[in-house]
Amino acid sequence: MPSPPQRLSQTVRKPQNKRLLASIHDVGPGSELAVLQLVDLLERRLGGPNFAMLVVPDHWGRHPLKADRAFQARLRAWSDRGIEMFVHGWFHKDMTEHADAAARFKAKHMTAGEGEFLGLDDATALARMLEGKALVEDVIGRESAGFIAPAWLYGEGARTALRKADFALCEDHWRVWDASTDAVLAKGPVITWASRSTMRTASSLAFAGLARAALGVLSTVRIAVHPGDVTKTSLLDSIDATLKRFAVTHRPARYAELRANP
Ligand SMILES: [Zn+2]
């Protein structure tokens, strides 16, 4: 015989079947202060550590995680609290010299040089993925949540390497997929902000406004923030408004749930 409390809990849970996946990109020793600020903002709106971090093993070749024991301890503590940790490239920046002019143009002008995995051959991509996975998993003492390429950009080499690197999950700007089977687990554009030019900032604010009005229909909403976002009040306000809006209709969730219960 169904009891009233069960009926009540079903009523309450229904809209909460929609998921909100939030993440902080570009986490590493060089971005620590900005990340701490973003952690505060996300925890306040999401009611706890219900979000993911994307860890860069050696941002621009200048901030090696391997050499920073204090930051390793901080990362492990975040992971112990339930924050999912993705491997996010190795250098983040595209450090290779592109032989052909078209690839050089694309890398430089379309990604501000941040598309590290766009031009890598599969052997190099696989080596960096495996090294990043081993480092991050050693630091946090558990399996990483998956791999996400810098700027969400994957070249052919990166896509081939992903099938061999034994990551659980992967995402780009438009979808989340199972890295071992290529099965798509969530669809819809990620809501994110840009701080590096006035024009990009303006268009990202406009998109976030549209997203707040239109993307409530999605069963999984993704929100991604970056350390640079803390440099502009307009971005922090927009991020806060967006988190607040979706936390009403979408339950702050973990990426891992997508595999367990697509
Ligand atoms: Zn990034």
Side-chain angles (χ1 to χ4, degrees), residues 154-176:
Y154 304 80
E156 271 314 303
R159 289 191 183 274
T160 304
L162 258 181
R163 291 183 199 107
K164 301 176 192 163
D166 200 28
F167 283 107
L169 289 170
C170 199
E171 74 166 17
D172 65 12
H173 201 88
W174 293 96
R175 57 193 67 80
V176 183

Side-chain angles (χ1 to χ4, degrees), residues 148-226:
I148 300 174
W152 292 289
L153 291 170
Y154 304 80
E156 271 314 303
R159 289 191 183 274
T160 304
L162 258 181
R163 291 183 199 107
K164 301 176 192 163
D166 200 28
F167 283 107
L169 289 170
C170 199
E171 74 166 17
D172 65 12
H173 201 88
W174 293 96
R175 57 193 67 80
V176 183
W177 69 92
D178 185 314
S180 56
T181 65
D182 283 350
V184 175
L185 303 173
K187 283 183 194 170
V190 63
I191 308 168
T192 190
W193 290 263
S195 59
R196 66 186 154 87
S197 77
T198 309
M199 217 172 80
R200 280 170 194 269
T201 295
S203 68
S204 68
L205 291 171
F207 180 77
L210 283 174
R212 287 196 294 273
L215 295 189
V217 295
L218 293 178
S219 57
T220 301
V221 165
R222 289 181 293 149
I223 294 177
V225 299
H226 292 80

